[in-house]
Amino acid sequence: MNKLSSYATFSRFAGLTVVSHAVSAARISLPGPVAERLHAFAGREFTDDEFIRTDEFAHADESSRARESGRADEFGRDDERAGLLRLLRSRHLVVDADEDEHGRWELFLRDGLPEEGPYDRSTFWSARPLDAPTLARLGRTDSRAVRPVRVVGLGGCVLDFARDELLHEGYARGLDISFETVWPDSTARLRSVEADLVILQLGIFPHLTRLWDAAPAQDAAQRGIALTRIKKLFTRWVTSLAESLPDSGLAVVHNVGPSALSPYGRFEHAVDLNTRQVLAELNGHVDELVRADPRLLLLDEERLVARHGALTLFDDHLVPFGHHGGDQDPRIEIANQRPALGRVLAAEYLDLYEAATRQGEIKCVVTDLDGTLWPGIAADDGFGWTDSDSTSSWVHFGLHQALRLLKSRGLLLATCSKGTERYTLDAWRAAEHPMLLGPDDFVTHRINWSRKSANVADIAAELGFAPGALLFLDDNPVERWEVARALPDVRILDGEPHTFRRRLLDSPLLDRPPAGAEARNRSETTRAMLARRSVEAADPVEFIRELDVEVEVREAVAADLPRLAELFNRTNQYTTTAWRPGARELEALLGGPDGALFVCRVRDRFADYGLTGVLALTGDDVTCLAVSCRVIGLDIGPVFLAAALHRSGRARPGVGGRFVPTGRNAAAGDVFLRAGLRPGPDGRFALVEGGDLVETDAFPHRLSRP
């Protein structure tokens, strides 16, 4: 049973009601009629079903009429009401009927809030009423249901002002954000935080005022001392936060953005250790702290200022430099902030979260050619445009550069264009310009007169990707519509080609950490994989021999760990258990007395595929074996398993592991059997008494040592 919280308050305005929690300050904005119906539940208990289907809310037919008249605020559908109930629960505005609310919030007030602080939290928000489509998304229970994400902000008023913007930005991305802020008054508080995402705002007033506001009255030596102190403080904060994070945790750390004005005016260059130099050293230090831990992400205030402008985001044109808050309306006496900074920060927080978690990431960019990658029709007009100094020429060079950068991050490129392939590719290969991509930068081409949706689907099938992992670029809105209609999961960039560069380089779905050799060479190894398929023999053993497949197996070293983490966490098709370890678990295995990590490197006559396999051993148990999809066709798994067990010295009765089906990893289902292990009654595969692990020379691969 449920009840409306006894701490829920209703503040009514024209057409809008803000429902707030008097203790936690959690709040949502609702259309007035809906809030009135919600208020009718005060003082009585109710079930979920009573709430969702109650006559207190508008009937579905009334809601339909409201929508037809342009008002989607009645919440008449069951999924909309279910979404509203879920949201009210997450904000503690609806609670269990038997909950001791007084005891809960007494504990919160005693332990959860900062002992002191200059900010009135109740003013840090702006009213943006929720609409029915948003609540319908929150009420979904299928595969497209929203994901709850708990976010904790450690910082000052800037984070509080971003609260509502973060919630609404989350709804737009299918995320139900629960957000609370804590004043970072001690490193102990940093260590006590538990959340899916932690945000640490380093640049708060008590510290920056010593650095910025006092600086003009100090000499360079004094400014240097202040800078050293704040660098040490930032080190303690970031280190404490990192120590508190679980292996799978994520945290965003702010650096410090520049001010719009200089305390030294136009003669700042004449000042030793001036504001620009201090900021460069301070942010370089933050870079080093964040770079040291892959669970930490940087929110680069300098980049946001470069994009949006310091006058738009920050308030140093009104108040002392050290305040470092969002731009204010000076006509309002209570603490306030214009919405620009909150909206920019909310978007950047979630961009960083999506880039780090790689939810819905794009693996391949499929681009049209004529009119998109270059102006005109290549087979007819050629590439004379490359000698022009026109705006159009530079815009297309910019798109080529953006795609080249994505390729260097490990994304694949493919083409899908109307035309005759031979004529188009001949003209393209004849063009010579250092800023042009060439045909070999793309892993596959579809240049024909077929429907583009059929070609895009064929590319996805050839690469083994789900359609949702592809991004499609085309200058023609009809072609974009045709692909979207046939393949609704394919991502499509709408708009004019001159907008493509910015959106490609800014999308979190295309962001990647700095690429290792394997990622940088992914296009070449993928083209080699596709070339292999064209020479596949009927006899798989003869196929491996013809390709001269070489497998190098060795124990892992510390430098391999980033690549091994990537293999374990991203491999879905050839993995025995789909184990997803964190960095600390892998470090423990590498340095522990009972653990071992083995890697394999694969080459054939087409390419060197790099480190494409990893095996984790704990005692006599194979925790997980994972092999990259790029070499699945080379049948690497059994020979890798046998070689690793032989070289580990653990090829004895009892050594083995489990195969855990995931629905996607059937390719690895027989790896233990083919290496000579047998299933036991508990489903675990093991080497049995009198049984032999298959010798590596029984496989057609050529085994080598480093």
Side-chain angles (χ1 to χ4, degrees):
M1 298 293 286
N2 307 296
K3 67 179 180 182
L4 196 63
S5 171
S6 56
Y7 296 106
T9 64
F10 291 73
S11 302
R12 296 168 178 83
F13 303 92
L16 172 71
T17 297
V18 179
V19 186
S20 309
H21 194 285
V23 181
S24 73
R27 56 195 166 263
I28 62 174
S29 303
L30 294 171
V34 175
E36 290 301 320
R37 296 176 184 116
L38 174 63
H39 191 265
F41 286 97
R44 64 185 176 93
E45 298 179 1
F46 55 91
T47 66
D48 289 4
D49 193 64
E50 287 172 333
F51 184 92
I52 292 171
R53 294 179 172 80
T54 179
D55 288 336
E56 296 293 348
F57 288 96
H59 293 290
D61 58 343
E62 294 173 351
S63 179
S64 298
R65 287 195 296 272
R67 288 188 179 86
E68 290 168 3
S69 64
R71 292 177 56 221
D73 60 359
E74 294 293 345
F75 303 165
R77 286 169 28 190
D78 287 356
D79 57 355
E80 295 167 359
R81 298 176 190 175
L84 177 60
L85 180 60
R86 174 177 178 167
L87 193 62
L88 291 167
R89 277 208 195 98
S90 71
R91 308 298 183 259
H92 303 290
L93 294 166
V94 167
V95 298
D96 290 340
D98 56 355
E99 179 172 323
D100 176 13
E101 287 194 275
H102 180 77
R104 174 193 179 94
W105 295 110
E106 184 177 46
L107 182 66
F108 173 82
L109 287 170
R110 189 177 70 236
D111 299 334
L113 293 175
E115 295 179 4
E116 57 182 284
Y119 306 111
D120 175 8
R121 294 187 177 189
S122 64
T123 65
F124 301 154
W125 67 291
S126 60
R128 291 177 60 188
L130 293 163
D131 57 19
T134 295
L135 291 179
R137 286 195 295 272
L138 291 172
R140 294 185 73 114
T141 58
D142 57 14
S143 61
R144 299 179 67 183
V146 296
R147 291 183 293 116
V149 178
R150 185 184 177 205
V151 181
V152 172
L154 299 162
C157 60
V158 166
L159 297 185
D160 273 311
F161 275 122
R163 175 193 302 271
D164 278 9
E165 302 297 342
L166 185 60
L167 302 186
H168 282 270
E169 185 70 24
Y171 299 149
R173 302 182 190 216
L175 303 174
D176 181 15
I177 304 292
S178 170
F179 184 56
E180 60 182 283
T181 56
V182 179
W183 182 260
D185 52 0
S186 68
T187 55
R189 191 177 296 280
L190 270 65
R191 294 191 181 99
S192 68
V193 169
E194 294 182 4
D196 299 304
L197 180 67
V198 180
I199 300 168
L200 175 59
Q201 180 203 359
L202 292 171
I204 56 178
F205 176 73
H207 308 122
L208 290 187
T209 189
R210 303 169 194 163
L211 198 63
W212 300 146
D213 298 323
Q218 298 172 332
D219 59 29
Q222 291 172 314
R223 289 193 291 273
I225 292 171
L227 175 59
T228 299
R229 286 175 177 167
I230 199 166
K231 285 168 63 177
K232 289 181 178 179
L233 175 68
F234 283 10
T235 299
R236 287 200 304 272
W237 281 18
V238 175
T239 301
S240 298
L241 176 60
E243 289 173 351
S244 73
L245 284 177
D247 276 348
S248 59
L250 285 174
V252 170
V253 179
H254 280 240
N255 64 10
V256 182
S259 57
L261 305 175
S262 167
Y264 308 107
R266 291 178 173 82
F267 288 91
E268 175 153 340
H269 65 279
V271 177
D272 187 19
L273 201 57
N274 58 41
T275 305
R276 287 185 288 106
Q277 293 170 319
V278 167
L279 191 67
E281 185 169 340
L282 184 61
N283 284 344
H285 181 65
V286 176
D287 279 352
E288 292 177 2
L289 294 173
V290 173
R291 190 185 303 128
D293 193 319
R295 299 167 302 163
L296 302 182
L297 309 166
L298 180 74
L299 187 137
D300 189 354
E301 289 188 7
E302 286 192 277
R303 185 172 62 83
L304 297 182
V305 166
R307 173 174 296 184
H308 302 281
L311 286 172
T312 300
L313 298 182
F314 291 108
D315 60 0
D316 67 279
H317 63 103
L318 292 171
V319 302
F321 294 103
H323 186 256
H324 199 61
D327 185 31
Q328 305 177 35
D329 185 340
R331 298 167 298 180
I332 301 175
E333 284 300 321
I334 61 172
N336 73 91
Q337 180 176 290
R338 298 184 193 274
L341 181 60
R343 290 177 182 171
V344 167
L345 290 179
E348 189 68 9
Y349 294 146
L350 296 187
D351 281 350
L352 286 165
Y353 178 77
E354 289 184 341
T357 58
R358 303 181 82 154
Q359 296 286 336
E361 70 174 352
I362 292 165
K363 299 179 180 180
C364 178
V365 178
V366 181
T367 181
D368 172 51
L369 297 176
D370 297 331
T372 300
L373 199 59
W374 48 67
I377 301 172
D380 297 338
D381 306 325
F383 283 80
W385 63 270
T386 59
D387 298 322
S388 168
D389 195 30
S390 67
T391 299
S392 173
S393 295
W394 284 107
V395 165
H396 284 93
F397 283 141
L399 180 55
H400 278 251
Q401 184 186 63
L403 292 172
R404 192 187 303 277
L405 289 170
L406 297 185
K407 176 175 177 279
S408 72
R409 296 177 189 176
L411 283 92
L412 303 180
L413 306 179
T415 69
C416 177
S417 190
K418 293 289 176 68
T420 302
E421 181 169 326
R422 180 167 63 88
Y423 297 145
T424 300
L425 292 184
D426 284 350
W428 192 357
R429 288 194 173 98
E432 294 184 4
H433 195 286
M435 300 187 75
L436 271 185
L437 290 165
D440 290 343
D441 289 306
F442 296 76
V443 297
T444 189
H445 298 281
R446 295 296 185 279
I447 306 172
N448 52 45
W449 300 102
S450 300
R451 286 183 299 109
K452 289 195 176 180
S453 61
N455 283 328
V456 171
D458 191 46
I459 291 170
E462 182 181 29
L463 297 176
F465 293 160
L470 270 59
L471 175 67
F472 179 62
L473 313 182
D474 200 300
D475 66 308
N476 189 331
V478 175
E479 299 287 11
R480 297 196 299 264
W481 174 83
E482 191 271 328
V483 171
R485 182 173 177 272
L487 301 169
D489 289 338
V490 170
R491 316 296 180 86
I492 297 176
L493 277 192
D494 285 320
E496 296 297 321
H498 69 260
T499 69
F500 290 171
R501 172 186 166 87
R502 175 183 59 79
R503 294 155 71 190
L504 290 172
L505 295 181
D506 192 47
S507 170
L509 303 181
L510 299 169
D511 267 336
R512 300 288 188 276
E518 287 78 13
R520 288 194 301 271
N521 296 329
R522 186 161 290 138
S523 290
E524 288 69 26
T525 56
T526 300
R527 283 195 292 113
M529 177 188 72
L530 300 179
R532 282 202 320 264
R533 293 178 183 170
S534 67
V535 298
E536 284 189 6
D539 180 356
V541 172
E542 186 61 27
F543 171 63
I544 299 297
R545 288 198 177 109
E546 283 187 15
L547 286 174
D548 189 27
V549 178
E550 178 186 353
V551 180
E552 176 189 305
V553 178
R554 61 170 174 81
E555 287 196 70
V557 296
D560 298 324
L561 290 181
R563 173 60 177 161
L564 304 193
E566 182 182 26
L567 280 169
F568 276 129
N569 285 283
R570 296 194 63 206
T571 300
N572 296 303
Q573 297 181 58
Y574 204 107
T575 173
T576 54
T577 59
W579 184 47
R580 308 303 193 202
R584 292 177 183 175
E585 290 176 274
L586 293 179
E587 289 169 1
L589 266 180
L590 191 64
D594 203 32
L597 286 168
F598 283 84
V599 299
C600 78
R601 185 183 193 100
V602 179
R603 307 174 185 89
D604 65 18
R605 65 185 176 95
F606 289 106
D608 181 341
Y609 300 92
L611 294 185
T612 47
V614 57
L615 181 145
L617 272 170
T618 304
D620 283 349
D621 194 62
V622 177
T623 306
C624 185
L625 179 148
V627 173
S628 167
C629 62
R630 285 177 291 141
V631 293
I632 287 179
L634 298 179
D635 199 24
I636 299 303
V639 64
F640 176 35
L641 173 61
L645 291 180
H646 278 298
R647 293 180 183 179
S648 72
R650 308 182 196 194
R652 54 186 176 239
V655 69
R658 296 182 180 277
F659 174 72
V660 180
T662 66
R664 298 184 62 188
N665 65 341
D670 62 354
V671 65
F672 290 112
L673 278 172
R674 294 181 59 202
L677 285 71
R678 295 293 175 261
D682 61 351
R684 181 178 182 270
F685 291 83
L687 198 60
V688 299
E689 290 285 352
D692 291 320
L693 189 67
V694 174
E695 295 295 333
T696 54
D697 59 10
F699 297 97
H701 310 74
R702 183 161 54 88
L703 202 66
S704 67
R705 292 182 178 273

